[in-house]
Amino acid sequence: MQKKGFLIIFSGPSGVGKGTICQELFKYEELNLAYSVSMTTREKRSDEIEGLNYFFVDRPTFENVIKNDELLEYAEFVGNYYGTPKSYCLEQIEKGKNVLLEIEVQGATQVLEKITDAVSIFLIPPSLEELESRIRGRKSEPESVLQARLAKAADELPLQSNYNYVVVNNTVEQAVAEIKTILEQEIANRI
């Protein structure tokens, strides 16, 4: 009999390195990870692939999915809906995959109410000053957006107590090693 997988919720403030760390974690086949594919009402970009980057749907379809309780979580952002389809995640878990859900804190709260045995990991910067330095280093946003991201980070950091694990991202290598150890322990505990 195939062992079921589990859901991994991975959150942290913008600019803390979630995307980079997720890419590194997928290099470890023994973690048996599957990436959660979100659903959205925003337009598909030319380089995006249906079912890989997102499931693209129109607004009435998304609202019907909400009404039928087919999402683990959803939010509206800049006029578009984004959400995590329940069926896709549960299918992957049934196949024995450990589904990695990189998600903001409000969505994580919704998911944890529905999937109580999910493993939740909150990634934090060594300090708000270091986070500011990293975001500034990107040189990708105007000052007003940067300040908004930092203010949101300051609001999100106290929510780390809602998570099973908190990992400080001093370096990508250290954070990846720590999260890999956490996931290996969770896998071993579920056998």
Side-chain angles (χ1 to χ4, degrees):
M1 186 172 125
Q2 183 173 323
K3 183 173 65 103
K4 280 176 62 172
F6 57 93
L7 189 68
I8 304 155
I9 297 170
F10 192 50
S11 302
S14 174
V16 77
K18 296 181 300 293
T20 302
I21 288 169
C22 283
Q23 285 178 333
E24 291 299 311
L25 289 170
F26 272 90
K27 293 177 181 176
Y28 297 98
E29 288 183 25
E30 66 271 24
L31 296 178
N32 204 21
L33 298 175
Y35 200 76
S36 169
V37 180
S38 295
M39 181 181 288
T40 186
T41 58
R42 80 158 169 73
E43 288 296 313
K44 181 175 168 277
R45 296 178 186 139
S46 61
D47 62 337
E48 291 178 321
I49 300 167
E50 169 72 25
L52 180 64
N53 301 104
Y54 284 98
F55 297 112
F56 296 94
V57 299
D58 60 18
R59 196 170 184 87
T61 300
F62 199 104
E63 288 172 346
N64 199 42
V65 166
I66 293 170
K67 191 175 80 182
N68 293 330
D69 191 32
E70 296 172 25
L71 297 170
L72 289 175
E73 59 79 34
Y74 71 93
E76 193 168 4
F77 181 70
V78 197
N80 288 301
Y81 281 122
Y82 294 84
T84 304
K86 211 186 286 186
S87 61
Y88 178 82
C89 289
L90 297 179
E91 282 168 20
Q92 295 301 311
I93 288 168
E94 285 297 322
K95 291 178 185 174
K97 292 289 193 178
N98 300 316
V99 179
L100 183 60
L101 186 56
E102 182 187 332
I103 192 169
E104 47 77 43
V105 293
Q106 287 80 11
T109 302
Q110 292 178 47
V111 175
L112 285 168
E113 289 172 1
K114 294 177 180 164
I115 311 286
T116 55
D117 68 340
V119 174
S120 57
I121 302 169
F122 196 84
L123 190 66
I124 62 171
S127 66
L128 277 175
E129 293 76 24
E130 176 62 22
L131 183 65
E132 180 175 355
S133 171
R134 290 176 186 179
I135 295 173
R136 284 191 188 284
R138 291 180 181 172
K139 296 187 167 120
S140 61
E141 298 157 334
E143 184 66 23
S144 60
V145 173
L146 188 139
Q147 291 302 325
R149 286 189 185 279
L150 291 171
K152 189 168 190 244
D155 289 342
E156 289 176 343
L157 286 172
L159 301 175
Q160 64 187 273
S161 62
N162 298 341
Y163 289 73
N164 301 122
Y165 302 96
V166 177
V167 175
V168 179
N169 183 11
N170 291 303
T171 67
V172 170
E173 297 75 22
Q174 159 270 319
V176 168
E178 202 171 321
I179 293 166
K180 181 177 178 279
T181 298
I182 289 168
L183 296 179
E184 288 170 342
Q185 288 171 345
E186 287 289 341
I187 291 167
N189 290 341
R190 292 168 187 256
I191 291 178

